[in-house]
């Protein structure tokens, strides 16, 4: 047990907060790390299969939010800091060359993690945001989960996609996952970033061409959060566009990991 957990036995284990998935040769040194922050109601399990599609020299780190997985018994998040602070505290000590990626609400978490690391003099090499509004904007598609009963909330989740309908249709499983989804949607509805100095790293923005939650034309506002270059890609599909074209999406991500500079593309 590490010293921090000895002082606070209720603190989650670092490996429960940030999953660490090395390349095919776990003994080989990694050249960079990719930190992935899940969407509203999402969990680390959903992103673990990405490991097989990333280069061996890339270590995959995945954030696990409170209220799910090994953190199921923890209080549900009420503020962005409830998601961000444990991830910052649990990043592996050798996380030097880092790219941070988030999808949907996870992009807002990724922005806050990147901002905190930048303020601490440890700016990530790049930020990748997917299917999300710029952090200073109000949510264009609020869910208002406090006004919805379970059936209405399930319908709202299914309309967005990204969650296995089998889980939502099974009463016992639904009872387990809905509280964390409610908490995440409430947080996403309320979040607006504080005024802050621009980031210094490049930002790559990716979205779906027919995303009903975050229209493609809104993605350009991310250019206002950084002094670095911004590249925008629009891929066919809705809010979870990458589920149908994961290899193409991760090829863009791999380009960022490799330091490629690609001209902006709009569909």
């Amino acid at each position: 047990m590490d010293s921090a957990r000895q002082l606070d036995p209720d603190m989650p284990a670092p490996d429960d907060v940030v999953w660490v998935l090395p390349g095919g040769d776990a003994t080989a040194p990694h050249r960079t790390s990719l930190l992935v922050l899940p969407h509203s109601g999402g969990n680390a399990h959903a992103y673990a299969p990405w490991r097989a599609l990333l280069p061996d020299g890339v270590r995959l780190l995945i954030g696990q939010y409170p209220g799910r997985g090994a953190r199921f018994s923890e209080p549900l998040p009420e503020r962005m800091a409830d998601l961000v602070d444990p991830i910052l505290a649990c990043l592996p000590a050798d996380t030097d060359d880092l790219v941070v990626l988030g999808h949907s609400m996870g992009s807002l978490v990724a922005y806050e993690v990147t901002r905190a690391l930048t303020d601490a003099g440890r700016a990530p090499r790049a930020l990748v945001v997917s299917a999300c509004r710029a952090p200073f904007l109000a949510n264009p598609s609020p869910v208002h989960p406090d006004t919805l009963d379970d059936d209405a909330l399930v319908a709202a989740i299914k309309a967005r996609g990204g969650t296995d309908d089998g889980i939502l249709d099974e009463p016992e499983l639904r009872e387990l996952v809905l509280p964390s989804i409610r908490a995440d949607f409430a947080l996403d509805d309320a979040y607006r970033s504080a005024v802050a100095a621009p980031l210094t790293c490049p930002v790559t923005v990716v979205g779906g061409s027919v995303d009903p939650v975050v229209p493609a034309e809104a993605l350009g506002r991310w250019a206002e959060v950084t002094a670095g270059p911004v590249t925008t890609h629009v891929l066919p599909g809705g809010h979870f566009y990458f589920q149908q074209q994961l290899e193409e999406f991760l090829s863009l991500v791999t380009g960022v990991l490799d330091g490629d500079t690609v001209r902006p593309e709009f569909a």
Side-chain angles (χ1 to χ4, degrees):
M1 181 181 294
D2 59 58
S3 58
R5 295 196 76 210
Q6 287 177 335
L7 293 174
D8 184 358
D10 293 328
M11 179 181 294
D15 286 350
D16 291 339
V17 179
V18 177
W19 287 20
V20 180
L21 303 180
D25 182 358
T27 64
H30 58 276
R31 58 179 173 82
T32 192
S33 297
L34 174 66
L35 172 64
V36 174
L37 287 317
H39 56 281
S40 294
N43 60 66
H45 294 273
Y47 295 88
W50 289 16
R51 172 57 272 164
L53 298 175
L54 293 169
D56 280 347
V58 174
R59 179 177 62 177
L60 179 61
L61 309 175
I62 313 174
Q64 182 78 298
Y65 302 146
R68 59 219 86 185
R71 305 185 68 192
F72 182 80
S73 63
E74 293 182 42
L76 293 171
E78 297 180 352
R79 305 170 301 131
M80 183 61 70
D82 296 334
L83 304 179
V84 173
D85 290 353
I87 290 167
L88 290 169
C90 294
L91 283 177
D94 60 347
T95 305
D96 299 318
D97 190 88
L98 176 66
V99 171
V100 183
L101 181 152
H103 176 69
S104 193
M105 183 197 74
S107 295
L108 304 176
V109 183
Y111 166 75
E112 290 288 354
V113 167
T114 299
R115 190 172 75 171
L117 290 173
T118 301
D119 290 346
R122 301 169 54 203
R125 181 154 55 81
L127 170 64
V128 181
V129 294
S130 169
C132 187
R133 69 192 188 273
F136 53 83
L137 298 176
N139 190 337
S141 303
V143 177
H144 302 300
D146 56 313
T147 68
L148 304 178
D149 62 20
D150 286 354
D151 290 339
L153 181 60
V154 166
I157 298 166
K158 288 184 176 181
R160 292 184 174 221
T163 302
D164 184 354
D165 286 354
I167 294 176
L168 297 174
D169 292 335
E170 172 57 46
E172 292 184 1
L173 293 176
R174 187 169 88 165
E175 185 177 348
L176 292 175
V177 302
L178 280 188
S180 63
I181 295 175
R182 280 189 182 279
D184 287 356
F185 277 145
L187 193 158
D188 193 8
D189 281 357
Y191 172 82
R192 297 279 288 275
S193 64
V195 176
L199 302 177
T200 57
C201 66
V203 176
T204 297
V205 189
V206 192
S209 58
V210 291
D211 184 350
V213 179
V214 182
E217 57 268 22
L219 299 174
R221 298 297 300 275
W222 278 95
E224 300 174 41
V225 307
T226 185
V230 176
T231 304
T232 302
H233 302 269
V234 178
L235 299 179
H239 195 55
F240 284 86
Y241 62 89
F242 62 79
Q243 291 183 336
Q244 286 71 49
Q245 46 198 330
L246 185 56
E247 290 190 19
E248 182 177 358
F249 171 69
L250 289 183
S251 72
L252 293 176
V253 175
T254 299
V256 175
L257 292 165
D258 289 341
D260 293 350
T261 300
V262 184
R263 66 176 178 83
E265 298 176 2
F266 295 90

